[in-house]
């Protein structure tokens, strides 16, 4: 019966043992990597927002463009016509007008944001951002946060002008904060509307005209300056479902200002109109449009 011979192990140095294979499936991140993604995205978003604010120092006219329309509303319409306009249910017209003027800051932010987005697309800056190893939503979110800061400065200036012409809040500090919070949400959503407009049109000249039409149209086809019961019957449903009407009346109710509330569904449920027609539709549509964007 034969026995197998044993081969002595070689003592000469050989090639290093290969690294053990990674048991994780391809494309899967480790727990540490997954945890760092939100922090990295936040840093990238703040960096891009800072870039947008640096531009404000070089082009302060953007702040003037957002603020001037509301200031004219308060100083011209509110002061000149305060004795000529009949407020629904009686009361002070400057108080009736103050939430509308603050709302216009959001509408006036549509065109500057849209033009900036279109210019970034036209100049190829957006394509360079997309080629970098950064999260794609941070490009848009950083842009909107920078413009939100500009809008907040404009809101402070318009509040000061509104107080000078007679605008007041009668319900205390907490309702004041709640009304301002609602206006800030409206402002931020209008900035997303501007982003969507810039992504879809990409023509700064056309955007400028459309932005002005949107600002005036949404303002006057609402209860911002007068009660909608004075509008023709065929225009009244448009004004009732206009989100501007819901936002303006909600702020008036919070501040104890004269209110033009009807029996229609948007007047009785302004939160539904604000949440559905503004935040969900425009923000999701903008992100979807940016994801599908291709170089022209």
């Amino acid at each position: 019966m034969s026995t197998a011979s044993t081969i002595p192990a070689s003592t000469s140095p050989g090639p290093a043992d290969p690294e053990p294979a990674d048991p994780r499936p391809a494309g899967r991140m480790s727990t540490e990597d997954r945890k760092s993604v939100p922090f990295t995205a936040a840093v990238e978003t703040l960096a891009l927002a800072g870039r947008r604010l640096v531009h404000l120092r070089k082009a302060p006219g953007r702040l003037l463009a957002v603020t001037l329309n509301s200031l004219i509303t308060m100083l011209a319409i509110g002061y000149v016509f305060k004795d000529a306009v009949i407020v629904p249910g009686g009361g002070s017209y400057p108080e009736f007008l103050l939430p509308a003027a603050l709302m216009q800051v959001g509408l006036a932010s549509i065109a500057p944001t849209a033009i900036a987005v279109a210019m970034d697309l036209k100049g190829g800056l957006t394509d360079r951002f997309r080629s970098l190893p950064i999260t794609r939503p941070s490009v848009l979110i950083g842009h909107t946060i920078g413009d939100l800061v500009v809008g907040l400065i404009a809101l402070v200036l318009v509040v000061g002008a509104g107080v000078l012409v007679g605008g007041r809040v009668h319900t205390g500090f907490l309702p004041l904060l709640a009304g301002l919070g609602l206006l800030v949400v409206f402002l931020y959503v209008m900035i997303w509307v501007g982003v969507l407009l810039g992504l879809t049109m990409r023509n700064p000249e056309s955007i400028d005209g459309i932005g002005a039409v949107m600002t005036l149209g949404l303002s006057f086809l609402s209860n911002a300056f007068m009660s909608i019961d004075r509008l023709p019957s065929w225009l009244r449903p448009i004004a009732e479902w206009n989100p501007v009407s819901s936002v303006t009346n909600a702020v008036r109710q919070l501040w104890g200002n004269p209110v033009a509330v009807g029996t229609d569904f948007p007047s009785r449920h302004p939160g539904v109109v604000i949440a559905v027609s503004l935040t969900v539709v425009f923000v999701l549509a903008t992100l979807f449009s940016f994801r599908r964007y291709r170089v022209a």
Side-chain angles (χ1 to χ4, degrees):
M1 184 175 179
S2 63
T3 58
S5 61
T6 59
I7 302 176
S10 175
T11 58
S12 61
D17 294 335
E19 293 291 335
D22 192 344
R24 293 173 297 171
R28 294 289 298 275
M29 295 187 298
S30 65
T31 304
E32 292 76 9
D33 293 339
R34 200 178 299 115
K35 289 181 178 179
S36 67
V37 168
F39 176 77
T40 303
V43 172
E44 295 165 353
T45 300
L46 292 178
L48 292 169
R51 163 192 168 268
R52 185 71 174 142
L53 292 175
V54 168
H55 286 181
L56 181 62
R57 294 189 304 174
K58 302 178 181 179
R62 180 157 54 95
L63 176 61
L64 181 63
V66 173
T67 311
L68 191 58
N69 192 45
S70 297
L71 289 178
I72 292 175
T73 298
M74 286 302 307
L75 298 178
I77 299 177
Y79 186 77
V80 174
F81 297 102
K82 64 179 180 180
D83 297 325
V85 178
I86 300 176
V87 177
S92 169
Y93 186 61
E95 292 181 2
F96 180 81
L97 192 62
L98 177 59
L102 293 171
M103 170 274 306
Q104 281 194 309
V105 173
L107 295 179
S109 301
I110 296 176
T113 300
I115 292 174
V117 171
M119 292 296 293
D120 286 348
L121 289 172
K122 189 175 182 179
L125 183 61
T126 301
D127 296 328
R128 290 195 290 273
F129 281 147
R130 288 167 60 92
S131 66
L132 296 176
I134 60 176
T135 54
R136 288 190 175 183
S138 64
V139 177
L140 293 183
I141 297 175
H143 197 116
T144 59
I145 291 176
D147 284 357
L148 177 63
V149 174
V150 177
L152 293 177
I153 297 173
L155 282 177
V156 172
L157 296 176
V158 177
V159 167
V163 172
L164 290 177
V165 300
R168 296 293 184 271
V169 177
H170 302 282
T171 51
F173 183 68
L174 291 180
L176 170 63
L177 291 182
L180 290 175
L182 181 57
L183 290 168
V184 170
V185 171
F186 179 77
L187 164 65
Y188 191 56
V189 174
M190 289 300 101
I191 290 173
W192 277 104
V193 175
V195 174
L196 178 60
L197 186 63
L199 287 174
T200 52
M201 293 200 63
R202 310 185 189 181
N203 188 334
E205 292 79 11
S206 301
I207 291 172
D208 195 18
I210 292 178
V213 171
M214 292 180 66
T215 301
L216 295 176
L218 291 174
S219 296
F220 285 100
L221 288 178
S222 69
N223 59 18
F225 304 116
M226 65 180 68
S227 178
I228 59 178
D229 57 5
R230 301 187 180 186
L231 293 175
S233 58
W234 61 276
L235 273 179
R236 199 170 302 159
I238 299 176
E240 290 172 350
W241 283 93
N242 186 347
V244 169
S245 298
S246 298
V247 172
T248 306
N249 254 349
V251 177
R252 286 168 179 158
Q253 289 177 338
L254 288 169
W255 290 355
N257 297 143
V259 181
V261 178
T263 59
D264 53 278
F265 180 86
S267 296
R268 290 183 286 110
H269 305 281
V272 176
V273 178
I274 295 168
V276 175
S277 64
L278 296 181
T279 307
V280 176
V281 174
F282 287 114
V283 174
L284 293 183
T286 304
L287 291 174
F288 180 75
S289 177
F290 185 66
R291 186 176 64 85
R292 291 176 58 87
Y293 166 73
R294 294 292 184 271
V295 180

